[in-house]
């Protein structure tokens, strides 16, 4: 290195050092300002006037919610439709409680069913100072199972003040040899006590039942059925949270997706009622005490990672009791569970990918997580934007990318398609000074799929980011948020969370079969930006069948592997079709709510008319014909108990 190069290097170093010092100073000032504002806020909240104004604030919040609903549903009739829908849903909820229990004839038929493989279930239940009512209801619900090849393994760590636990268990065990009871010398915690239950187990499949919950009488029958018909080595079902003396006093009905590994990492949605092959447990190891409080999350992550077939029974067959000491009512009853769950997710991802991720609680719930994957590299990202006229839209989009994006290694390929206005060509000329931006000319008739394929052919990046021209970046690290998932070898298309200009949701993942045409539709459509989503789904990254082509990141290799966008879908469904091709190639598609953009597409434009309507219907018919088998099977990430007429997870 000569003297001139050394001087240039020193100048660059000094310039960067000065920038760093300025940034550090700004951070320190911001931290002081935040500290001061928090102090002032605490004083306000502790004041007499603040407490006195509680009724007024509640009234104001009610007014704001009503106003927002009016805006969301368009009118009073719109709200009435929503009210009728919710009332109908309330009625439908009842079908999943005691009304779903088999009648005498059905129960008799289930008891008399002989499967080719009459597997034995070992139900593990660690006991600790279990209330008498909860304990007897638990024992009764197991004895009421219509499938009778089971054993109940009870390990009791209760203290001397709760001696009745042992008295009740011994009484049941004396009359039913399938109930095994053991008093523990020491309370070993949740994992240790569960492992003591496991030592008693002689079954082919292990099932986990909490000491204060209740089973549907047909759950073991349903599980034995899918083991025989599907060969499943891990099974779970939907569940209901209830309170009070009856399971019909429902608080939450949790209808789950089929197995979705990213959902499981962001949120232990499987939770109850898990049953799995004893061979699978032998391979993965027993419960680990370092994850007590979330030992089930740790175990589920390990077991499903090894399982040959994880099967979801889409029926509410487990009843999770909510009471003062339960996690179902308040996670703060077991605050250590949050830290244990974070460790479990972190360690699982480290084992699978060798990546040291950050796991953070979200605003939805302490155990609903945002996972920050480190970027293994910063490859060139090629952003492809089709455009015809619309100078204002395009300039807003491009400027938001250039001015907001923290990711720097990108190129923008604008595909010009038969524009006519002078202003757009003047804008193209103004972009020539930016070496990251190129304009390529497509002269054929409008075909969204063909235009994007044409644009992709000019890209140099390792990844392709399809982007509409009417987008505006919100999240500065939006590219990093998309890339952290796209870089994984098991992931293909990744999409972000898109809003209309009025801060309602335009895109948060696509479900096939959803909507009037039963082709595909967006979930949480038109919900408020701050909505948590069904069971917190708008607050964590998750697996979906498809994401919109309005903002879709995928590797160039995967794009080429499935032949890009199918040009038979000129306008509609080419993105959904593309994502389905990727799924059939063995990849996951992911929606992340942490890459946020505005999508200025009109949400009030209504149905296409005339020739456009005819073309749209042709593409609906083509999509339904091409993907008939997938549509008939149903979207794996949208529970069949939900209505396909609504985007808000309304129960059928």
């Amino acid at each position: 290195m000569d003297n001139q190069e050394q001087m240039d290097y020193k100048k660059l170093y000094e310039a960067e050092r000065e920038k760093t010092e300025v940034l550090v100073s700004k951070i320190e000032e911001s931290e002081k300002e935040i500290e001061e504002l928090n102090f002032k806020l605490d004083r306000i909240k502790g004041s007499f006037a603040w407490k006195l104004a509680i009724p007024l604030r509640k009234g104001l919040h009610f007014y704001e919610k009503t106003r927002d609903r009016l805006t969301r549903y368009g009118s009073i009739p719109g709200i009435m439709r929503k009210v009728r829908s919710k009332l109908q849903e309330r009625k439908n909820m009842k079908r999943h409680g005691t009304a779903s229990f088999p009648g005498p004839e059905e129960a008799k038929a289930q008891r008399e069913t002989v499967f080719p493989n009459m597997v034995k279930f070992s139900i593990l239940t660690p006991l600790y100072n279990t209330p008498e009512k909860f304990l007897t209801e638990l024992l009764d619900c197991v004895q009421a199972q219509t499938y009778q090849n089971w054993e109940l393994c009870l390990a009791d760590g209760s203290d001397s003040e709760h001696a009745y636990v042992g008295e009740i268990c011994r009484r049941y065990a004396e009359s039913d040899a399938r109930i095994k009871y053991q008093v523990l010398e020491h309370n070993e915690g949740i994992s240790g006590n569960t492992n003591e239950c496991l030592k008693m187990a002689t079954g082919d499949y292990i099932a986990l039942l909490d000491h204060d919950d209740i089973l549907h009488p047909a759950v073991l029958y349903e599980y034995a059925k899918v083991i025989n018909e599907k060969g499943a080595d891990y099974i779970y079902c939907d569940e209901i949270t209830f309170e009070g003396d009856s399971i019909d006093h429902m608080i939450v009905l949790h209808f789950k997706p089929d197995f979705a590994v990213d959902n499981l990492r962001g949120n232990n949605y499987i939770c109850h009622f898990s049953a799995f092959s004893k061979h699978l447990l032998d391979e993965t190891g027993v419960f680990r005490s370092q994850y007590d409080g979330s030992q089930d999350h740790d175990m589920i992550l390990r077991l499903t990672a090894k399982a040959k077939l994880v099967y979801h029974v889409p029926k509410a067959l487990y009843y999770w009791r909510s009471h003062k000491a339960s996690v179902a009512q308040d996670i703060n009853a077991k605050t250590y569970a949050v830290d244990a769950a974070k460790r479990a997710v972190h360690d699982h991802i480290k084992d699978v990918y060798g990546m040291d991720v950050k796991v953070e609680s979200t605003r939805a719930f302490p155990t609903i997580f945002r996972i920050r994957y480190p970027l293994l590299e910063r490859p060139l990202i090629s952003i492809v934007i089709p455009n015809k006229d619309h100078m204002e839209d395009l300039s807003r989009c491009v400027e938001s990318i250039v001015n907001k994006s923290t990711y720097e290694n990108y190129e923008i390929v604008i595909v010009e398609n038969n524009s006519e206005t002078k202003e757009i060509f003047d804008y193209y000329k103004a972009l020539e000074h930016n070496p990251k931006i190129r304009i390529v000319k497509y002269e054929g008739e409008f075909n969204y799929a063909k235009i994007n394929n044409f644009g992709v052919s000019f890209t140099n990046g390792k990844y392709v980011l399809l982007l509409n021209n009417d987008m505006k970046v919100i999240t500065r690290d939006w590219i990093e948020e998309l890339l952290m998932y796209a870089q994984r070898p098991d992931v293909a298309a990744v999409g972000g969370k898109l809003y209309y200009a009025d801060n309602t949701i335009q895109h948060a993942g696509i479900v096939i079969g959803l909507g009037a045409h039963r082709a595909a539709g967006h979930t949480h459509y038109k919900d408020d930006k701050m909505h948590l989503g069904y069971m917190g789904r708008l607050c964590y990254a998750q697996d979906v069948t498809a994401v919109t082509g309005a903002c879709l990141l995928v590797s160039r290799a995967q794009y080429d592997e499935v032949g890009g966008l199918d040009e038979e879908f000129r306008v509609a469904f080419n993105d959904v079709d593309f994502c389905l091709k990727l799924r059939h190639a063995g990849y996951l598609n992911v929606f992340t709510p942490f890459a946020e953009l505005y999508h200025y597409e009109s949400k009030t434009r209504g149905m296409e008319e005339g020739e456009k309507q005819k073309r749209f219907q042709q593409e609906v018919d083509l999509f339904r014909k091409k993907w008939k088998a997938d549509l008939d099977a149903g979207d794996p990430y949208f529970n069949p108990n939900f209505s396909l007429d609504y985007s808000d997870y309304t129960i059928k």
Side-chain angles (χ1 to χ4, degrees), residues 100-153:
S100 69
F101 286 11
E105 289 186 13
E106 186 182 0
K108 182 175 182 292
Q110 290 181 5
R111 281 194 297 270
E112 293 174 355
T113 299
V114 178
F115 294 107
N117 181 11
M118 294 294 288
V119 294
K120 182 178 181 181
F121 292 97
S122 294
I123 303 171
L124 312 186
T125 303
L127 304 174
Y128 181 72
N129 297 345
T130 311
E132 184 173 350
K133 182 180 186 303
F134 298 175
L135 180 58
T136 55
E137 287 183 355
L138 177 137
L139 293 165
D140 290 343
C141 81
V142 175
Q143 286 190 316
Q145 289 300 304
T146 58
Y147 183 85
Q148 298 179 64
N149 193 16
W150 54 263
E151 62 182 7
L152 177 60
C153 304

Side-chain angles (χ1 to χ4, degrees), residues 343-502:
R343 289 197 307 275
V345 172
H346 172 275
D347 295 351
H348 159 75
I349 293 174
K350 188 75 180 274
D351 289 343
V352 174
Y353 304 113
M355 299 172 74
D356 196 15
V357 299
K358 293 181 180 178
V359 183
E360 304 167 354
S361 295
T362 65
R363 63 189 177 90
F365 200 68
T367 52
I368 290 180
F369 299 133
R370 177 179 187 174
I371 300 169
R372 296 180 186 266
Y373 289 80
L375 294 186
L376 303 178
E377 57 175 340
R378 290 183 171 266
L380 179 65
I381 307 286
S382 297
I383 304 172
V384 177
I385 307 175
N387 187 70
K388 180 182 187 297
D389 297 316
H390 289 273
M391 193 279 288
E392 184 178 342
D393 283 337
L394 181 64
S395 62
R396 179 177 57 213
C397 176
V398 170
E399 286 166 22
S400 73
I401 296 169
V402 172
N403 296 329
K404 277 203 159 187
S405 301
T406 53
Y407 193 90
E408 296 182 347
N409 193 18
Y410 67 85
E411 63 174 2
I412 299 174
V413 176
I414 298 170
V415 188
E416 154 56 28
N417 174 223
N418 301 324
S419 292
E420 298 173 354
T421 63
K422 180 179 181 297
E423 64 177 357
I424 192 64
F425 289 104
D426 289 343
Y427 181 63
Y428 289 156
K429 191 165 184 63
L431 292 176
E432 290 177 0
H433 75 280
N434 191 327
K436 291 187 174 185
I437 302 174
R438 282 180 293 146
I439 292 96
V440 298
K441 195 171 184 180
Y442 173 86
E443 295 182 337
E445 64 177 5
F446 181 77
N447 179 316
Y448 182 82
K450 189 176 285 189
I451 291 169
N452 273 288
N453 289 339
F454 179 80
V456 170
S457 71
F458 288 89
T459 62
N460 300 309
K462 184 175 180 179
Y463 291 85
V464 172
L465 204 173
L466 305 182
L467 197 68
N468 277 17
N469 64 350
D470 55 353
M471 308 293 290
K472 180 183 176 182
V473 174
I474 299 172
T475 313
R476 289 187 175 276
D477 58 349
W478 67 293
I479 296 178
E480 291 94 330
E481 289 291 344
L482 298 171
L483 181 58
M484 68 171 64
Y485 284 94
Q487 71 181 349
R488 279 180 17 201
D490 55 343
V491 173
V494 186
K497 190 179 179 190
L498 311 183
Y499 308 112
Y500 288 116
D502 64 355

Side-chain angles (χ1 to χ4, degrees), residues 17-131:
R17 189 178 62 78
E18 287 176 10
K19 285 182 185 177
T20 302
E21 288 178 356
V22 170
L23 288 171
V24 169
S25 176
K26 286 182 178 179
I27 289 170
E28 289 175 350
E29 288 175 10
S30 297
E31 287 176 343
K32 287 178 182 177
E33 188 177 347
I34 290 168
E35 188 177 345
E36 186 176 339
L37 289 171
N38 282 332
F39 175 72
K40 289 178 179 178
L41 185 61
D42 289 340
R43 280 176 55 185
I44 291 169
K45 286 184 175 181
S47 68
F48 176 73
W50 176 267
K51 293 172 183 176
L52 192 65
I54 288 174
L56 181 63
R57 289 200 304 277
K58 285 183 177 178
L60 182 60
H61 291 159
F62 177 78
Y63 162 75
E64 289 173 343
K65 284 182 180 179
T66 304
R67 181 198 61 200
D68 292 343
R69 283 171 182 153
L70 273 169
T71 303
R72 190 180 311 152
Y73 302 124
S75 61
I76 295 294
I79 288 181
M80 293 308 297
R81 281 195 299 272
K82 188 66 179 177
V83 169
R84 284 195 296 271
S85 167
K86 286 299 179 185
L87 289 174
Q88 183 62 42
E89 188 178 46
R90 288 276 179 191
K91 285 177 64 179
N92 294 342
M93 287 172 69
K94 295 177 182 177
R95 294 189 298 108
H96 300 282
T98 52
S100 69
F101 286 11
E105 289 186 13
E106 186 182 0
K108 182 175 182 292
Q110 290 181 5
R111 281 194 297 270
E112 293 174 355
T113 299
V114 178
F115 294 107
N117 181 11
M118 294 294 288
V119 294
K120 182 178 181 181
F121 292 97
S122 294
I123 303 171
L124 312 186
T125 303
L127 304 174
Y128 181 72
N129 297 345
T130 311

Side-chain angles (χ1 to χ4, degrees), residues 187 234 269 318 331 449 497 609 632:
N187 177 27
Y234 191 106
Y269 78 93
Y318 189 91
I331 189 63
K497 190 179 179 190
E609 297 178 354
D632 288 347

